[in-house]
Structures are given as C-alpha cells and as structure tokens.
C-alpha cells in the first residue's frame, strides 16, 4: 500500500444488507462521513437495498418466465439507483456534499452479455472530478454500459464487489473496503458453521478458489480483478468496527505460521447435475456433446464419465452446471439425442457441492483421505469428485451438504470459539 500519501483514496462498497432500510442508510452515511473527515478521499459503491434484486427478479418472472436480457438488466439496475440516491441524501444531511452516479455515468464500460457482462474499461472522469471538488462520489454497483450496443448491462449476481475493485484499480486507490454483514472471510459460511473462524488474511489465489466454489462473500470477478491489479481488499462488517480480512498477494509471515492446511470450506447449492445415460463409447461422442453445450453458452463445472460395460459398449456421462442453465441444457441435449444415440437424460437439482481450499494441501498428501473419512463418518455419500492444486470438491445430496460442511470443519481442526462468527444482518437469500 502507498504509505507516503497525505490523503488516502479509499473505495468503500456497501452490500444490500448494510443498506436494507433508512436506518441502515443513515448508519452507513455516518461511517462514510467519518472516513472523509479523517482526511481521505472517498468513493462509495452501493448495492440495492436488502433483497430488492431478488424481488425485482420475482416480479419479472410473474410477467414472463424468460425475461428479455436487455429489459431485465434495465429493471435490476433500478435497485442500485434507489440506493445511490438515498445514500447521497443521507450524506448530505450530515453536512457533506455527495454526488451519485449510475454505472454508465461512472464510466463502467462492459461487453454486451446481459446478466453477466464483463467490465472491459473504466473511465471514471466524472468520479475524479467530483472527488477533486471535495465531494463524496456514490456509484451504483453491479452495472455498466455496453461499448457496442450502448445498452445498460449488469455484471451478474453479487457484481457490486467487482464494480468496487474495478473503480479502485482505475482510480489507483490505496485500498478497496468491502463492507458486508459478517466480520470478514471465515473458514466457512458463518450461517452454516457457528464455530467458523475469521481469517486475518487470505491470498488472492485461495480467495479465487473460495469464491469460485460458492463462498459468495466476494464476487469471483472482483477477486480476479484485484489479483490482476494487485489491489488489496479489506472485507469487513458495516455493523462493527472490527478489523476484517485482508485479501492480498502474499500473506504476512505471522498469518502463514498460524494457518492450517485448509484455509476454508465453501459450499454451493446453486448447481444441478445432468446424467446422459447409455452413451455409445466411441471417439468423438463426448466432443459432440460438449460442443453442443458450449454452443448453447452453458458453463459446466465437474464432469464424470463411467467406465463402459464391455458387454454393451455404453457409458454414462454426468456433469454439473448452474441450475439456471438446466432448461437450456436439457433442450440442447434433446436436440442431439438422435444424432449421438444416447438412451436418456436425467436432471437432478437436489445436489450440493462442498469444497476444501488451502495452499497447504500442496505439501500434505493425506488431505483427501481425511476428508473422505470425515464424510463417511458423517454419513455423506460422495457422488462426484474434482480437484485442483489447492482444492478438493465433492458433490453430494443437497440435504447432506450442511452436515458435511460442519463435519469437514471439525475434522480439519478449523473450529474456533463460538461467538466469533457473528451474522449481523441479511436474509441469507
Ligand atoms: P452483501 O450483501 O454485503 O454483498 P453477501 O450476501 O453477498 O453480502 O455476502 C455475505 C455473505 O456471504 C455472508 O452473510 C455469509 O453468509 C456468506 N458467506 C459464505 N461463505 C462465507 C465465508 N467463507 N466467510 C464469510 N461469509 C461467507
Ligand atoms: N444487487 C445485486 C445482487 O443482489 C448486486 C450486488 O448486490 O452485488 O446480486
Ligand atoms: Mg455480495
């Protein structure tokens, strides 16, 4: 971090649970003003209030089951607009000038993929002007404008984190603070594991795996962005003044000493499993299936192919994918069923994914054995497995998932003092 600046530039992001109602807005406004009064320039990114985004999606679904991407994005960005204007009012009430900006006004330029747009450039001229003139800039999170179509886009669920880090990088901020409803990044989701421990620091590498495996405390792309620009992130609670978790390139020596083999356990209930039954075991068949899936723009996660029974020459292929892609994937596969010649498709949305993450795994070969023993003791049946250098993931029944997370947490001696993992707000939705 830059130490020799007289004034710091801090980007703060407040999530939906931090600004769930008028009192929350006022509490957050006071905190922002205090940061400004301490001599910093402040840029704030804000999310939609409480569960507004979910409610807007529900509303759209009452009109049509498959809303048009452009219009859904237009609808959802309204949530963040409400927040930014109210927050600017609350700050101005406290005697400070605040100016709110939509993502487009803040110069967040994206590609044109509605609902999951990628930021391709940030030109924050108006934000720089505002802070130069002494104002606090408030930016609507999770949104931008497409370079090609000039339409309004959204960055995917949880995307305000990415807005914050992208702006912090473009403004060359000293730090990006992510304020949420828990005290930092924990060894597991505090809503599931009451004895979870707060991590003092975590590397970008580990945080990427945690975020990719379902720990929604940080949006995956925000961590990718932070790693690329080496922007330090401080994840902390807007409801307490406790020091949070630093997401950094290299952990301080002291934190490494303290660290267990496993840094964290993530879980994810948002995926489903498709099994293609009776697939002819011939060269090129898997390629044909996954080409069709890719052409339909469906991201898949784990894949398992069974050994074919010699007598039949048929095999089964299973893969996991986001539940939201289920209908698209099923109809895509049905279209190529005749050509490929498989027997049937099974769709299962009652699965859960549990992942162990830790750089310490590289040098500890016994992790998999301990993990599987813990799952077996907890009565959790393992249906699929995938690994990376610093992660092991399994798929199990959704109903067994939380029990499995708690069992693994205990087995790897991650349990801390009860009471450390406070959940201050949010509905967990
Ligand atoms: P916000 O509205 O502030 O963006 P989110 O709901 O997106 O908040 O993210 C915070 C939530 O992430 C926490 O309330 C917690 O339930 C969940 N979470 C999942 N895994 C973790 C973890 N390892 N550490 C902390 N929080 C986690
Ligand atoms: N409001 C958006 C969502 O709920 C973006 C965010 O909160 O980060 O996904
Ligand atoms: Mg979030």
């Amino acid at each position: 971090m830059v130490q020799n600046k007289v004034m710091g530039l801090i980007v703060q992001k407040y999530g939906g649970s931090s600004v769930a109602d008028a009192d929350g807005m006022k509490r957050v406004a006071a905190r922002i003003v205090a940061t400004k009064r301490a001599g910093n320039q402040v840029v704030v990114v804000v999310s939609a209030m409480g569960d507004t985004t979910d409610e807007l999606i529900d509303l759209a679904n009452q009109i049509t089951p498959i809303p048009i991407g452009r219009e859904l994005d237009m609808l959802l960005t309204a949530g963040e607009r409400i927040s930014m204007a109210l927050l600017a009012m609350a700050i101005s009430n406290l005697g400070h000038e605040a100016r709110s900006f939509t993502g487009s006004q803040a110069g967040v330029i994206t590609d044109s993929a509605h609902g999951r747009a990628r930021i391709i450039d940030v030109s924050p001229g108006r934000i720089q002007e505002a802070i130069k003139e002494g104002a606090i800039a408030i930016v609507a999170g999770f949104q931008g404008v497409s370079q090609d179509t000039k339409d309004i886009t959204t960055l995917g669920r949880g995307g305000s984190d990415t807005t914050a880090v992208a702006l912090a990088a473009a403004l060359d901020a000293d730090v990006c603070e992510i304020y949420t409803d828990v005290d930092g990044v924990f060894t597991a989701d505090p809503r599931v594991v009451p004895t979870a421990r707060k991590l003092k620091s975590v590397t970008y590498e580990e945080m990427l795996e945690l975020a990719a495996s379902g720990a929604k405390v940080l949006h995956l792309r925000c961590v990718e962005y932070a790693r690329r620009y080496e922007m330090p992130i401080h994840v902390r609670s807007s409801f307490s003044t406790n020091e949070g978790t630093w997401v950094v390139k290299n952990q301080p020596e002291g934190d490494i000493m303290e660290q267990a083999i496993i840094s964290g356990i993530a879980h994810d209930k948002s995926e489903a499993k498709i099994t293609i039954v009776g697939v002819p075991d011939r060269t090129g068949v898997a390629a044909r299936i996954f080409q069709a899936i890719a052409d339909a723009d469906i991201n898949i996660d784990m894949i398992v192919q069974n050994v074919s029974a010699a007598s039949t020459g048929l095999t089964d292929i299973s893969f996991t994918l986001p539940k939201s892609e289920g209908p698209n994937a099923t109809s895509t596969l049905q279209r190529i069923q005749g050509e490929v010649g498989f027997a049937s498709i099974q769709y299962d949305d009652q699965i859960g994914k549990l992942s162990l993450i830790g750089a310490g795994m590289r040098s500890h070969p016994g992790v998999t054995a301990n993990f599987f023993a813990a799952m077996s003791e907890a009565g959790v049946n393992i249906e699929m497995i995938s690994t990376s250098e610093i992660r092991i993931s399994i798929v199990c029944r959704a109903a067994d998932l939380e029990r499995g997370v708690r069992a693994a947490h205990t087995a790897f001696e991650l349990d801390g003092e009860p009471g450390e993992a406070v959940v201050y707000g949010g509905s967990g939705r």
Side-chain angles (χ1 to χ4, degrees):
M1 251 189 291
V2 185
Q3 300 292 354
N4 57 355
K5 281 192 189 169
V6 183
M7 290 256 285
L9 170 55
I10 301 183
V11 173
Q12 299 187 328
K13 176 257 170 177
Y14 291 91
S17 50
S18 297
V19 292
D21 51 23
D23 284 341
M25 286 283 177
K26 290 181 194 168
R27 189 172 45 81
V28 163
R31 189 151 192 157
I32 295 166
V33 166
T35 312
K36 172 84 176 143
R37 290 211 172 122
N40 302 290
Q41 292 183 315
V42 189
V43 174
V44 176
V45 173
V46 69
S47 292
M49 296 171 74
D51 290 331
T52 300
T53 308
D54 290 293
E55 285 155 16
L56 290 172
I57 292 172
D58 290 349
L59 192 57
N61 286 334
Q62 285 172 40
I63 306 269
T64 164
I66 308 174
I68 301 159
R70 180 186 188 279
E71 303 310 328
L72 185 62
D73 274 358
M74 199 61 118
L75 176 72
L76 297 188
T77 53
E80 269 69 12
R81 277 193 178 219
I82 294 172
S83 290
M84 71 176 190
L86 291 173
L87 190 55
M89 291 176 200
I91 291 172
S92 132
N93 240 5
L94 298 174
H96 267 274
E97 193 195 343
R99 288 182 213 162
S100 67
F101 299 93
T102 64
S104 163
Q105 288 176 316
V108 180
I109 315 292
T110 71
D111 63 18
S112 53
H114 285 293
R116 56 190 165 102
R118 270 183 185 275
I119 297 179
I120 48 187
D121 192 19
V122 182
S123 350
R126 296 198 63 189
I127 307 301
Q128 280 159 325
E129 198 179 283
I131 55 179
K132 216 170 91 199
E133 289 167 13
I136 294 167
I138 314 287
V139 178
F142 161 73
Q143 53 181 274
V145 59
S146 157
Q147 190 171 47
D148 300 335
T149 63
K150 309 289 179 233
D151 282 330
I152 297 299
T153 53
T154 64
L155 310 179
R157 299 306 307 273
S160 296
D161 299 337
T162 302
T163 306
V165 172
L167 265 177
L171 295 166
D172 194 21
D174 296 294
V175 57
C176 182
E177 297 184 327
I178 304 281
Y179 285 91
T180 184
D181 52 15
V182 290
D183 275 316
V185 180
F186 284 76
T187 48
D189 187 341
R191 284 179 209 274
V192 172
V193 182
T195 51
R197 265 193 297 128
K198 184 172 73 190
L199 303 171
K200 283 197 185 121
S201 62
V202 62
T203 62
Y204 294 130
E205 191 192 18
E206 288 170 311
M207 195 63 229
L208 275 176
E209 294 277 3
L210 281 166
S213 308
K216 66 169 185 160
V217 61
L218 286 180
H219 193 229
L220 177 59
R221 291 214 186 124
C222 118
V223 190
E224 288 172 354
Y225 228 98
R227 178 172 66 170
R228 187 169 348 133
Y229 293 94
E230 286 192 27
M231 175 56 58
I233 303 179
H234 187 188
V235 183
R236 56 195 310 193
S237 167
S238 73
F239 298 82
S240 81
T241 53
N242 296 340
E243 176 83 4
T245 301
W246 285 88
V247 187
V248 287
K249 187 174 177 203
N250 296 308
Q251 287 183 297
E253 209 47 52
D255 293 4
I256 298 174
M257 302 281 288
E258 262 181 37
Q259 192 172 326
I261 302 168
I262 303 301
S263 315
I265 302 176
H267 71 279
D268 191 353
K269 278 191 184 165
S270 69
E271 292 192 355
K273 178 171 79 170
I274 287 184
T275 303
I276 313 171
V277 183
V279 182
D281 197 3
R282 276 195 321 267
T283 311
V285 168
R288 179 69 194 99
I289 290 173
F290 290 107
Q291 188 59 52
I293 293 289
D295 290 345
D297 221 5
I298 298 163
N299 275 319
I300 56 170
D301 184 15
M302 292 190 203
I303 305 176
V304 172
Q305 176 172 348
N306 291 340
V307 180
S308 65
S311 54
T312 60
L314 298 176
T315 182
D316 296 343
I317 298 176
S318 297
F319 63 91
T320 62
L321 73 173
K323 276 182 190 162
S324 53
E325 299 284 5
N328 187 7
T330 319
S331 60
T332 300
L333 290 172
Q334 275 158 355
R335 273 198 297 278
I336 59 164
Q337 180 165 11
E339 179 195 335
V340 174
F342 58 80
S344 61
I345 303 165
Q346 289 170 359
Y347 181 72
D348 178 358
D349 62 1
Q350 292 303 306
I351 62 161
K353 188 172 76 174
L354 191 168
S355 305
L356 294 186
I357 289 114
M361 246 183 243
R362 285 195 181 107
S363 46
H364 286 82
V367 173
T368 312
N370 288 351
F371 179 33
F372 289 1
M375 291 306 98
S376 131
E377 251 168 67
V380 176
N381 186 37
I382 298 170
E383 300 179 14
M384 292 168 103
I385 304 165
S386 88
T387 59
S388 84
E389 220 190 351
I390 63 165
R391 176 184 52 79
I392 308 173
S393 303
I394 61 151
V395 164
C396 63
R397 288 293 91 205
D400 294 342
L401 182 60
E402 297 193 352
R403 194 170 74 251
V405 172
R406 287 188 284 268
H409 199 265
T410 304
F412 286 94
E413 298 175 354
L414 295 173
D415 289 337
E417 295 303 315
E420 186 181 334
V422 183
V423 178
Y424 297 94
S427 62
R429 193 168 167 185

